Amino acid sequence: MSAGERLSDALYGLGWSTVKTLPEPAAVRLGRTIADLAWKQRGKGVRRLESNYARVVPDATPERLAELSRAGMRSYLRYWMESFRLPAWSADRIKAGFDPKDLHFLTDGLAAGRGVVLALPHLANWDLAGAWVTTKLEIPFTTVAERLKPETLYDRFVAYREGLGMEVLPHSGGSAFGTLARRLRDGGLVCLVADRDLSASGVEVTFFGESARMPAGPALLAQQTGALLLPVTLWYDDSPVMRGRVHPPVEVPESGTRAEKTSVMTQALADAFASGIADHPEDWHMLQRLWLADLDPAKGTP
């Protein structure tokens, strides 16, 4: 393990052990202070966030983009402060922390015995939404986590999410898709963050007028298992409660090859994500390259 990896692991460990003990107002103030400091330093992540917002809000002035990136960093640190504190939240606090619209698309699908795939972009706090599902709805689900370095940091994230009631599978290794398909065929719930392709072999979509790649997994799972595919978008307002919306199902096209169907369905997901991101751009925590024009052509990866 490199020195940088040891430092990352130690910092995350400190966050989970220390921040979760703070009173909520103190955690909110700490998050905002860290966000503002990071924003003022204008590091690589902040500059990338601003560049991404320039695609989402193409007519924004430099001043408006600066305002957005500052708000975006505050939203991003709110996500981290909440996530560090979630294991210490009571069941009642979790239940009161999220208010989604059109939940019937999810509950009706599960009640009918169909598996359901919820696909989300990196908006607001997807971990809080997941904890709400397992706590308020009492519905377990399966998700996939990117393998992080060092391995001890990945283990921290897995233990954290499993502690919130989620079954977590590693993104790499090749067996995740089969396990997800089995859960869906049994009428279960799968939740996937799906606005950034980690394999560099995803489906090309048009996203805010430019080409990007998004993972094929949600569309393929829906096709192969008959599961319902539901986009979900999240956002913050000025209250302690996160908001969200379950969008109408993405239907499997009646004709076409598997690849053609996957392309159509993934584009429909991208369009749903774009609608939520356009309404609340500051809550989209995309501090990495996403559009093909920004990717390294030699490596094909962010």
Side-chain angles (χ1 to χ4, degrees):
M1 187 189 302
S2 70
E5 289 173 347
R6 285 196 298 272
L7 178 61
S8 295
D9 185 47
L11 288 173
Y12 281 108
L14 181 65
W16 268 304
S17 64
T18 303
V19 173
K20 71 180 180 182
T21 66
L22 293 174
E24 192 154 336
V28 170
R29 288 195 301 271
L30 177 61
R32 181 161 290 201
T33 298
I34 295 171
D36 288 349
L37 286 172
W39 178 77
K40 288 176 183 176
Q41 291 175 353
R42 290 195 59 79
K44 188 168 93 172
V46 173
R47 296 195 307 273
R48 175 54 54 191
L49 183 66
E50 210 163 280
S51 174
N52 289 339
Y53 287 159
R55 255 92 170 211
V56 176
V57 190
D59 58 349
T61 63
E63 292 77 17
R64 171 63 177 145
L65 286 176
E67 290 173 1
L68 269 178
S69 64
R70 184 178 189 182
M73 290 304 295
R74 287 182 171 186
S75 176
Y76 186 47
L77 263 295
R78 176 173 171 175
Y79 159 76
W80 279 112
M81 291 298 110
E82 287 178 348
S83 295
F84 285 143
R85 290 173 50 74
L86 263 175
W89 279 12
S90 68
D92 287 343
R93 177 67 182 89
I94 292 173
K95 292 175 183 178
F98 181 40
D99 180 26
K101 299 177 181 178
D102 298 325
L103 189 65
H104 64 91
F105 288 121
L106 168 61
T107 54
D108 290 353
L110 291 173
R114 294 182 70 176
V116 175
V117 180
L118 296 180
L120 307 88
H122 286 81
L123 272 169
N125 192 339
W126 46 98
D127 284 328
L128 172 55
W132 186 87
V133 167
T134 59
T135 305
K136 173 76 172 180
L137 301 183
E138 298 183 343
I139 297 172
F141 67 86
T142 304
T143 189
V144 174
E146 177 183 1
R147 276 208 176 274
L148 302 171
K149 291 184 179 180
E151 193 75 14
T152 51
L153 180 56
Y154 170 76
D155 291 341
R156 286 184 190 274
F157 271 96
V158 170
Y160 156 66
R161 289 184 171 128
E162 288 179 341
L164 298 174
M166 311 174 194
E167 179 187 23
V168 183
L169 308 176
H171 180 269
S172 58
S175 62
F177 188 91
T179 302
L180 296 174
R182 286 194 294 275
R183 300 291 182 269
L184 292 168
R185 290 191 181 101
D186 289 340
L189 176 63
V190 164
C191 300
L192 300 171
V193 179
D195 57 343
R196 180 169 172 254
D197 179 49
L198 297 174
S199 67
S201 60
V203 178
E204 189 167 328
V205 296
T206 300
F207 194 54
F208 290 101
E210 292 191 45
S211 294
R213 276 194 300 260
M214 293 188 180
L220 287 172
L221 285 166
Q223 289 178 63
Q224 293 194 17
T225 68
L228 206 59
L229 176 55
L230 300 175
V232 177
T233 53
L234 310 170
W235 66 92
Y236 291 129
D237 56 19
D238 293 330
S239 78
V241 179
M242 183 176 70
R243 312 297 173 178
R245 179 189 174 199
V246 182
H247 294 250
V250 172
E251 302 292 347
V252 178
E254 294 183 1
S255 61
T257 65
R258 185 173 70 170
E260 289 168 344
K261 291 178 180 179
T262 301
S263 178
V264 170
M265 295 172 73
T266 306
Q267 182 63 61
L269 279 182
D271 292 344
F273 294 166
S275 70
I277 293 167
D279 287 342
H280 305 279
E282 69 278 5
D283 291 324
W284 188 41
H285 307 150
M286 186 56 65
L287 281 73
Q288 300 84 20
R289 294 181 176 92
L290 180 75
W291 282 272
L292 299 188
D294 292 337
L295 301 182
D296 182 345
K299 297 180 180 179
T301 56

